[in-house]
Amino acid sequence: MSKERIQISEALYDIMPSDYQDLVKSATYGKEDRGWKDIGTSKELIEQHSLCAGCPESMAFRYILASLPNPEDTVMVGSTGCTSLVFPMVAVHNIHSLFGNQNAIASGLKRALSVRFPDRVKDVVVLAGDGATVDIGLDMTLQAWFRQEKFTTICFDNELYANTGGQESGLMQKGFVAKMAPVGKLFDKVRLPEIARESGCHYVVNCTVSKPSLVEKVIRNAVHIAREIGPTYLQLYTPCILEIGKNSMEGLQEMRDSEKPSERFAYKEYVSEPAKQLLTELAAKDKERKAAAKQLAAQAQAN
Amino acid sequence: MAEIKSVIGTQNKKGQTYTDTWKMMNEAPRTPSFFTGSEVIKEALRRASCDVMIAYPITPQSEAAALIGELFAEGYIGDYFRGESEFAVMSQCAGSAFGGARVFTTTAGPGTMRAMENFPMWAGARLPIQMIVTCRGINSPLSIQPDTLEIAYLLNTGMLVWHAETAQDFFDWILKGYMVSEEPDVHLPLALCCDGFFVTHTKDVVNLTPADMCLPPYDPYRSPVPCMDMECPPVRMMRDPFVMKSNYISYATHASWQQEIWAAVERSRKHSIHWLNGLIDTENTDADIVIVASGTAVSQGREAIRLLEDEGVRCGLVKVKTLRPWPEEEIREATKNAKHIFVPEFNVTGWLAKEIRASVPNHQRVHAGPHVCGGMTMPPEIIVSEIKTALGMKTFSLAGRGS
Amino acid sequence: MSDYRVLPGPEHFLPPAAASMGIRLPNPGEAHINGVITSEEAAYEEAARQFLMAKVPTIFPGPLVLWAWNEKAAKKATAIRHLFNTLKECVQPGQKPMLIPMPDYRPKYPKINPEVEINPNHPNLTIWHNKIDCCIFVGVHCHQANLSLKIIRGGTSCYTIAMCAQAGHEDAMLSIRDTSVEKIMRLADTIKRLKGTVQPRLASAN
Ligand SMILES: Cc1ncc(C[n+]2csc(CCOP(=O)(O)OP(=O)(O)O)c2C)c(N)n1
Ligand code: SF4
Ligand SMILES: [Mg+2]
C-alpha cells in the first residue's frame, strides 16, 4: 500500500483512537532511510505487547519494525510461540496459522503476491522461534531455501520452547538441563547458520540484538537480498530471561556476554557473490542519494 | 463486486473471455469430449482463472496434478510448484489464499491425513481454497485403491465437502465450487471428493464448456476477513490473532468464531442449491425401498435398481451431492415413504449410514450396507442381494464375503 | 422456514448462530428483521424507529470505512457522519446518540477503553459501559461483525442493526445488504422523516 493510502477517512478522523491518528501522522511508512534512530521521534509500528517485562524479544521487534525498508508493502509471517502475542499489535499485515509451517505459508504468500502484483515490490518476512524454525518446521524452513523462495527468514533464538514453559529445543546448548531434557541436552546446538548457507541462503547472519544499529543493517540487507536474489536467514539471540532465571534488567547483559568472540553468538556473516554485488550497488546508490540530498540542502541554503 | 462486473467480457492473457459463470455453465454450448477424470480436472482448471496451484504426487491424483502443471507451462495458471509434503502444500495453499489468490490443489488418502492439521485452520481462517480429494485407502497396509474412509475425517473440519459421482460432476463442480466457496457469506474451503481410479482413471464422455471462456477472477476485497496484502484495512492486523487469552470473555470469542464457521457452512446451502440444482438428486422416492448413496456408489445403486426392476422390485434413489452442508431436510423428505433405506458405501465404517441414521426418524429403517473397501469393486448384484435378503426374498449367495 | 427469531438478548450462555437455527440471509433487494425477510423499505423504517426510540443509539463504523483505502470508503465515511449528524438533530432531550469506532479486531491488552472504541472480542464491554440500547454496525468485515453480533446478543439487551456491504447478517436483529453511500443516506432520510413520530423509551432508573 502506498503511504498515501494508509490514511484515515477525514469524516471520521476525530473519533479514531489516538494510536491510529499518531500512526498516520508520524509513523515512518514510505520513509526511504527509516531505521532504529526513528524510535523515540516517530510513531513505532508496534503498539503494546504482552511479553514478559524486559524480554529481549520486545527490543528485537522494535528494532526490526523500525528497520524494515518497505513496511507499507511488507507482509510478515509468524508462528506459534511467544512472538505470536506481539504480532496482533504490529502495524504490518501478518499471518499466524499453525506451529512450524511459517516458511510454507510464506512461500505460498510470496508467490500469490507476485502473481497479483507483478509490477510492485511486496516483501515477505518470516519471524519465528527456534522451535518453529529448527524443530517442528525444519523441513519447511530448508525446503523454502532449496526452492530459492524470495523471502527473509528470521529466527528468534531463545534456545528453548519458551511459550510452552521452557522445554528442550534443537537450538538449546548441549548439557543444558530443561524440561524434557532432565539429564541435560544430549546433543549439540543445531548449526542452522551453516546449514542455511549450504541450503542456498544468500545472506546469513548469526548475532544478538544488543545493538540496534547492527539489527538495522542486517535487516535491511536481508530484505533487499531476498527481494532481488533469493532466501536470506537471520538467527538472532533473544534470551528467554524467564526460563534462564534472569530478571528483567539482565537481558541486555546476557546478550553482550554471549556475543563475545569465543561465544556462540559472536557475529557471523555469510554473503553470497551475487548478494555481495547487490550490496555494493545498493551502497553506491545510497551514497549518491545522500550526496544529492546534501547538494539540495546546500543549494536551498544558498538561495 | 463492481470491479468483477467490469472484467466480464474482457480477455485474459490467453485470450479467454471472462464470462458470467451462470451463463458459462448453463447457457454456453457444450462440447462432448471423451476424457479421463484426470484430464477433466485439467480442463476445468483451464477455465477456472486460478492464480496458484500447488502439487504433490500421490496416486491416484498425480496425473491430474501433473496435467495442471502443463496448463501452467501454457500460461493458464498464475503460479505452480511441487511442495515438499502434503502438510507443507496445504500450508502453502493457505499462504497464497491469505495473500488474496484463487488457489487449487489435489490430494488423496495418506496425503489428506498428513495434511489434516491444515484443514480446520483453513476453515477457521475463512480461506476459500479448493482441494480435490481422489479417495484411496489410508490405513496400514498401504493401499492405493479406492476407499472413501478419509472423507469421514474431513466432515468436522468446517470445510465444505462435496462428493462427485462422475467426471461430469467433477468438471461442473470444480467451476461452480469456486462460486459457492468464494461467496462472502460462505468463504470457506471446499474438499471436492471423488472415488479414486473409478473417476480419475476411467474415460467418460464429458460435456465441456467452451475453452475460450473462463471464470471471473476472485476478488479478495469481498472477503469476510481482511486479505493479507497491505492493500486493505486495518493495517494493524494479524490473521488470526489468539483470542484465547483468559481475559474478559475471550472464550466466548473463540466459541463465537467456531459457530461462525459452521454458520458459514449453513449459508452455503442457499448457494449450493442454486448452483448444483439441489443438494441431492432423487429418483422414484415414492418407492418402499430407497437407496441413499454418494460418489460412485450412486452409479452402482442405479444399476442395482435396474436389476431389481427386472425382478419386479421397485426401488428409489437418493444421490447425496453435498456432505457439508449436510442435506438433512432433503434426505428426511426423500425417505419419508421408505420402509427400507439402503446405504452402499466404499469404506469399512459406514460413515454415510451413520449420518443418515442420525437424520431420519425410525432410523432402524437404515441398512448400513453393503460395504466394500480396500479397493474392492461393488458389483450391483451385492446391493441387489442385500436388499432381497432384507426383504426376505431368496437370493443367490455371493462368493468371497462369508455368509 | 425456521420459527427461530433473532431478538435482543441476553439470550443464552452461548447463543446459537442464527444461521444454524435456519435463518437465511436476504437476497439482493431484500432485508431482514428478526430473521424474517422483508422489503428494504420496511427495514429502513424499522431501523429508523429503533434508533429514534433508543436511549443511546450508537453507530459503530469499522475499518472498511474508517480508513480511506479507496474513494468509496471515504465517501461512505462522509455518509456515516451525515447519518450521525441527522440522528443528533432528530433525537429528543435525554437521548444520547454516540459514534464509536471499531478501529481493528485485535485482542487488546490490558483492555480497551470502552469510551473510545468497541472491540469484536468483547463488544459487550462498550455496550454495557455506555448503556447502548441500539447500535448499527457498518464497515466491519463480515466475519468480525458476526462474532460481535453473537456476543452482544448473548450478553446484552442491545438491539443490533447491520448495514453490510456484502450479503447481510442474520446474527443482527435487522440487516440491510449491499450497503452503498445511497443506502446510508436513505436511512438518514428515513430518520429525518420519522422525526417526532416515535416515542423514545423514557429514561428509566439510570
Ligand atoms: C502442532 C503443534 N505442536 C505443539 C504445539 C505447542 N507449542 C506452541 S508454542 C511451542 C513452542 C514454541 O517454541 P519456539 O518456536 O522456540 O518459540 P518461543 O516461544 O520460544 O519464542 C509449542 C511446542 C503447537 N501449538 N502445535
Ligand atoms: S517466556 Fe521468555 S521468551 Fe517468552 S516473553 Fe517471557 S522472557 Fe520472553
Ligand atoms: Mg524458542
Side-chain angles (χ1 to χ4, degrees), chain A residues 226-244:
Chain A
R227 189 191 293 167
E228 304 293 340
I229 299 173
T232 55
Y233 176 60
L234 306 178
Q235 186 165 315
L236 309 177
Y237 184 41
T238 54
C240 172
I241 49 173
L242 184 76
E243 292 296 339
I244 61 172

Side-chain angles (χ1 to χ4, degrees), chain A residues 57 82 128-132 156-163 169 238 240:
Chain A
E57 282 195 358
C82 285
D130 49 311
F156 274 7
D157 181 6
N158 54 13
E159 307 193 297
L160 46 77
Y161 288 43
N163 201 232
S169 99
T238 54
C240 172

Side-chain angles (χ1 to χ4, degrees), chain A residues 54-108:
Chain A
C55 174
E57 282 195 358
S58 65
M59 271 186 246
F61 255 106
R62 294 177 70 187
Y63 302 158
I64 291 169
L65 288 168
S67 310
L68 289 174
N70 192 30
E72 61 280 6
D73 276 303
T74 299
V75 183
M76 297 186 76
V77 180
S79 196
T80 322
C82 285
T83 53
S84 28
L85 300 178
V86 182
F87 266 119
M89 315 308 158
V90 168
V92 169
H93 281 177
N94 64 86
I95 300 171
H96 169 277
S97 62
L98 297 173
F99 181 42
N101 70 345
Q102 59 282 345
N103 279 32
I105 291 282
S107 299

Side-chain angles (χ1 to χ4, degrees), chain C residues 45-57 90-96 133-134 191 193-204:
Chain C
E45 297 267 328
E46 181 61 14
R49 243 172 42 78
Q50 290 290 344
F51 256 158
L52 290 169
M53 256 183 347
K55 282 180 244 173
V56 188
C90 294
V91 293
Q92 298 181 19
Q95 287 177 291
K96 185 187 168 202
D133 55 349
C134 176
I191 290 173
R193 181 161 54 75
L194 294 189
K195 176 184 175 177
T197 69
V198 180
Q199 192 57 38
R201 279 190 287 265
L202 290 173
S204 49

Side-chain angles (χ1 to χ4, degrees), chain C residues 179-196:
Chain C
T179 297
S180 57
V181 168
E182 292 69 34
K183 290 193 183 187
I184 299 167
M185 298 303 274
R186 225 171 119 194
L187 177 58
D189 289 347
T190 312
I191 290 173
K192 210 180 253 174
R193 181 161 54 75
L194 294 189
K195 176 184 175 177

